[in-house]
Amino acid sequence: MIVRQAVLDDTAAISALFRARIPAWQRLTGDGGVETVGYEDLTVYERWTHGGPWMSLETAAIALARLLHGVGLALVAESDDGELVGYLEAYPGYEPSPLGAHLHLAHVVTSSTVMDSDAVADVLLKRASEVAGHLPDKRLTASLAADSG
């Protein structure tokens, strides 16, 4: 498996990773109800409401271009046959001590077609940790929801 910085040509594959997590494409009707429709029947905005810029190629290209211009970190994992099987997005940040300068995870997404998605996530996180290791405080952070059970 190869982990590398994403390039603009990866936009469609990254968007597909995010869209694969959506079980049904829906929209609000004029009377406040919800209808299930095909992906192609949604406007760009309606697609965006399912999970942000990665839900449509148009907005995904804009988001990735911003990341590639230095706003954040965009990494992809490729299988040995060249299929894009994972994506990681992180942003640099600075907080008061003890966090200080850090790299904060926004997304780690893996393909549902991969046999060991945990291994894909692990290699992406390892590379992000290496990048964070070059920051003064050498920290990689993530927000996790607490288990209420």
Side-chain angles (χ1 to χ4, degrees):
M1 188 176 326
I2 297 169
V3 174
R4 61 173 174 77
Q5 181 171 327
V7 296
L8 203 51
D9 284 340
D10 295 323
T11 303
I14 296 168
S15 179
L17 288 175
F18 278 88
R19 291 190 328 264
R21 302 184 314 176
I22 305 300
W25 297 97
Q26 299 176 322
R27 72 162 65 128
L28 293 174
T29 62
D31 63 356
V34 176
E35 67 179 338
T36 300
V37 296
Y39 175 81
E40 298 78 21
D41 297 325
L42 296 170
T43 65
V44 171
Y45 174 73
E46 289 170 331
R47 293 173 186 171
W48 178 85
T49 63
H50 283 78
W54 296 111
M55 295 298 126
S56 89
L57 188 59
E58 299 86 352
T59 52
I62 295 167
L64 186 55
R66 288 191 71 234
L67 285 164
L68 298 178
H69 276 92
V71 170
L73 176 68
L75 299 175
V76 294
E78 282 184 359
S79 65
D80 293 336
D81 63 0
E83 179 188 359
L84 198 141
V85 294
Y87 173 74
L88 180 144
E89 182 177 321
Y91 294 89
Y94 186 82
E95 298 288 335
S97 186
L99 290 181
H102 62 278
L103 190 61
H104 186 76
L105 290 175
H107 299 287
V108 179
V109 182
T110 59
S111 172
S112 60
T113 63
V114 146
M115 294 300 269
D116 191 355
S117 61
D118 287 342
V120 174
D122 285 348
V123 298
L124 287 165
L125 289 167
K126 181 180 179 193
R127 180 65 186 119
S129 293
E130 292 168 358
V131 172
H134 295 286
L135 296 172
D137 295 305
K138 302 179 184 343
R139 293 186 192 273
L140 179 63
T141 64
S143 296
L144 300 173
D147 183 4
S148 61

